[in-house]
Amino acid sequence: MQTLIFRTAAPYLTSLMLLFSVFVLLRGHNEPGGGFIGGLIAASAFAILGIAHGVPAVRRAMYFHPMAVSGFGLLLAGLAGLLSYVFRVPFLTGLWTSISFLGVTVDLSTVMFFDIGVYLVVVGSITSTALALEEREDG
């Protein structure tokens, strides 16, 4: 679809969808949402950008190769699970801590890092698949 309206609106829509995907990711600890749903929303945003402007625009927007993003997410999710072994609790047990950053107390947990890892795995794998299909269709 190469209409002027769609090509003009796609970058703005992509930005809003990426922002919303981060909101859904961070909201998912206490309410519905989380890494998987947020990752699907982000991958959909990159798909819209790819339909409007092509695969090279998505590759420039992502900066890193989608499979590298997916691999880093898998590493992050695995490390979040392995951290529980350090404290001698069962695998994937949630651990919490608080740090002070610029005078603000920030609560961190391994559950959050696991969710971020899932988010990155979903974004990387779905975007990589969509880009491969789009390249095949164009080529």
Side-chain angles (χ1 to χ4, degrees):
M1 182 184 315
Q2 293 296 325
T3 65
L4 178 63
I5 295 171
F6 184 59
R7 282 184 294 147
T8 304
Y12 300 108
L13 185 60
T14 300
S15 300
L16 284 173
M17 287 178 72
L18 288 174
L19 185 64
F20 182 66
S21 75
V22 172
F23 170 75
V24 169
L25 165 69
L26 296 176
R27 178 180 176 254
H29 299 295
N30 300 321
E31 296 179 20
F36 187 76
I37 301 301
L40 287 177
I41 294 169
S44 299
F46 286 124
I48 287 173
L49 186 64
I51 292 168
H53 292 284
V55 173
V58 176
R59 293 206 186 275
R60 282 191 309 271
M62 283 197 74
Y63 190 73
F64 293 108
H65 192 278
M67 290 311 290
V69 172
S70 185
F72 180 72
L74 187 62
L75 177 71
L76 187 62
L79 288 177
L82 288 176
L83 193 59
S84 60
Y85 280 134
V86 174
F87 293 96
R88 299 179 190 263
V89 293
F91 184 66
L92 285 176
T93 299
L95 303 170
W96 287 263
T97 188
S98 297
I99 62 169
S100 181
F101 182 72
L102 298 174
V104 177
T105 302
V106 178
D107 295 325
L108 297 176
S109 70
T110 57
V111 178
M112 180 181 67
F113 288 114
F114 180 80
D115 254 357
I116 292 171
V118 170
Y119 176 87
L120 293 174
V121 167
V122 171
V123 169
S125 60
I126 300 294
T127 303
S128 179
T129 304
L131 292 178
L133 290 172
E134 184 70 25
E135 285 174 339
R136 185 173 179 190
E137 184 178 295
D138 289 343

